[in-house]
């Protein structure tokens, strides 16, 4: 299913391809590095990447995996990363939640040094001695950080090139946090490469069909998201809603299918081609 969706996204001329990061799961979850490597064969030369919850990974291993992915793909690699706050995941991976902020900062600093070709030693969280990696990315890895708390937004401006807003935010909340991020960028004298937000979407054949799908999901407590965080409608209605984020200052909208039905998911991806034309 994931391979088929990647191929359909390429045919729809979408702009980027991403997979997520989750561990210690009760259901199937295809791990990001491996499945992205397979999906890249369907994707072409546009940007692609994955989310990694950095405290859950050894930074040397992850730097090598990203270096390999960046070497075999045609476009630029974008690292989406975050702290990860799920207790079950952290416990399963042997990570102390109380240490995840300094682990995140040290991990990103170590990986960026390795990608630059530097030799790294570290003994705070991981016993690393005189380590370097090959292959290294041909061009710098672009880093987007998912964050929402004021301190985390400030850290994003200080350490990364882009910001990824929470998918659970409504437009006004997302805009308020964007203003915080822009202020932090000004304080750190940086210009972001991307200001992104994720929306869970469903594009129906008719607006009525899309509205019914949305209400059915909300009635079942879909991911704990509020109604305004979900985008469902016809191609025109979805384009109008996404345009509001562009008007607020967001440069990228990362979309995730609300429907698990493969036919409906592929139809949504195909209809995104029309949404993209309407937004052009």
């Amino acid at each position: 299913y994931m391979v088929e969706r990647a191929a359909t996204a390429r045919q729809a001329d979408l702009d980027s391809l991403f997979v997520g990061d989750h561990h210690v799961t009760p259901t199937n979850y295809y791990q990001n590095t491996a499945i992205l490597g397979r999906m890249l064969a369907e994707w072409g030369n546009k940007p692609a990447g994955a989310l990694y919850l950095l405290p859950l990974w050894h930074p040397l291993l992850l730097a090598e995996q990203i270096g390999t992915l960046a070497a075999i793909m045609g476009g630029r690699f974008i690292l989406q990363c975050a702290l990860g706050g799920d207790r079950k995941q952290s416990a399963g991976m042997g990570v102390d939640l109380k240490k995840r902020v300094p682990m995140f900062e040290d991990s990103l600093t170590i990986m960026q040094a390795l990608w630059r070709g530097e030799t790294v030693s570290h003994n705070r969280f991981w016993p690393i001695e005189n380590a370097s990696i090959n292959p290294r990315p041909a061009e710098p890895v672009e880093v987007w950080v998912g964050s929402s708390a004021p301190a985390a937004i400030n850290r994003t401006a200080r350490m990364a090139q882009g910001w990824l807003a929470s998918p659970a935010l409504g437009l006004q909340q997302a805009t308020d946090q964007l203003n915080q991020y822009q202020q932090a960028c000004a304080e750190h004298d940086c210009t972001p490469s991307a200001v992104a937000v994720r929306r869970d979407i469903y594009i129906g054949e008719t607006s009525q069909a899309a509205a019914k799908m949305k209400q059915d999901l909300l009635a079942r407590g879909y991911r704990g998201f509020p109604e305004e965080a979900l985008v469902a409608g016809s191609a025109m209605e979805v384009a109008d809603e996404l345009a509001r984020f562009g008007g607020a200052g967001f440069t990228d909208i990362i979309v995730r299918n609300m429907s698990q039905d493969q036919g409906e998911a592929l139809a949504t991806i195909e209809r995104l081609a029309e949404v993209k034309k309407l937004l052009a």
Side-chain angles (χ1 to χ4, degrees):
Y1 281 2
M2 295 177 73
V3 169
E4 192 174 14
R5 293 186 193 192
T8 303
R10 180 181 183 177
Q11 293 166 6
D13 195 31
L14 303 190
D15 297 315
S16 56
L17 176 73
F18 296 101
V19 294
D21 190 23
H22 200 54
H23 304 271
V24 196
T25 61
T27 57
N28 285 345
Y29 195 94
Y30 290 88
Q31 288 298 306
N32 44 13
T33 299
I35 196 64
L36 179 60
R38 174 63 185 90
M39 293 167 76
L40 288 175
E42 314 296 326
W43 178 237
N45 61 2
K46 288 189 173 183
L51 169 71
Y52 291 94
L53 304 173
L54 295 191
L56 305 184
W57 291 82
H58 191 293
L60 178 60
L61 174 64
L62 184 52
E64 289 181 328
Q65 291 188 0
I66 290 175
T68 297
L69 287 169
I72 66 174
M73 64 183 287
R76 76 183 193 276
F77 189 95
I78 298 172
L79 164 63
Q80 296 182 359
C81 53
L83 290 173
D86 183 87
R87 291 188 178 278
K88 184 178 179 181
Q89 280 194 100
S90 296
M93 302 293 283
V95 172
D96 185 347
L97 276 174
K98 296 178 182 178
K99 297 179 180 178
R100 70 187 191 277
V101 171
M103 289 181 75
F104 176 94
E105 293 196 8
D106 283 10
S107 176
L108 185 54
T109 299
I110 289 167
M111 290 194 298
Q112 289 172 326
L114 291 167
W115 292 327
R116 290 192 298 267
E118 298 176 17
T119 298
V120 173
S121 294
H122 175 94
N123 58 16
R124 186 183 185 189
F125 298 113
W126 307 275
I128 301 172
E129 184 175 351
N130 297 326
S132 59
I133 66 166
N134 277 297
R136 297 191 299 273
E139 57 182 290
V141 170
E142 191 171 322
V143 179
W144 299 359
V145 176
S147 54
S148 57
I153 290 174
N154 186 275
R155 181 168 56 249
T156 299
R158 174 168 55 87
M159 299 192 68
Q161 291 76 53
W163 174 58
L164 182 61
S166 167
L169 298 177
L171 176 59
Q172 186 57 57
Q173 292 173 303
T175 302
D176 291 344
Q177 290 193 7
L178 171 57
N179 291 335
Q180 295 177 37
Y181 176 62
Q182 291 172 332
Q183 291 173 9
C185 287
E187 292 172 9
H188 293 285
D189 194 25
C190 65
T191 301
S193 61
V195 181
V197 63
R198 201 193 85 192
R199 296 288 90 175
D200 283 15
I201 69 165
Y202 177 75
I203 306 176
E205 188 173 358
T206 66
S207 58
Q208 291 81 6
K212 184 178 185 306
M213 160 68 78
K214 181 177 180 178
Q215 290 307 313
D216 288 347
L217 289 173
L218 286 169
R220 297 197 296 269
Y222 177 80
R223 298 176 67 88
F225 284 6
E227 182 173 356
E228 64 176 332
L230 306 179
V231 179
S234 64
M236 178 66 77
E237 290 169 332
V238 169
D240 287 344
E241 190 159 351
L242 298 188
R244 297 187 184 100
F245 286 91
F250 286 91
T251 62
D252 294 77
I253 299 176
I254 311 302
V255 296
R256 178 186 184 275
N257 261 291
M258 290 162 58
S259 175
Q260 295 184 4
D261 179 86
Q262 183 70 347
E264 292 176 344
L266 293 177
T268 286
I269 294 171
E270 290 167 352
R271 291 171 184 142
L272 279 167
E274 182 180 350
V275 172
K276 184 177 176 182
K277 290 178 182 177
L278 291 168
L279 291 171

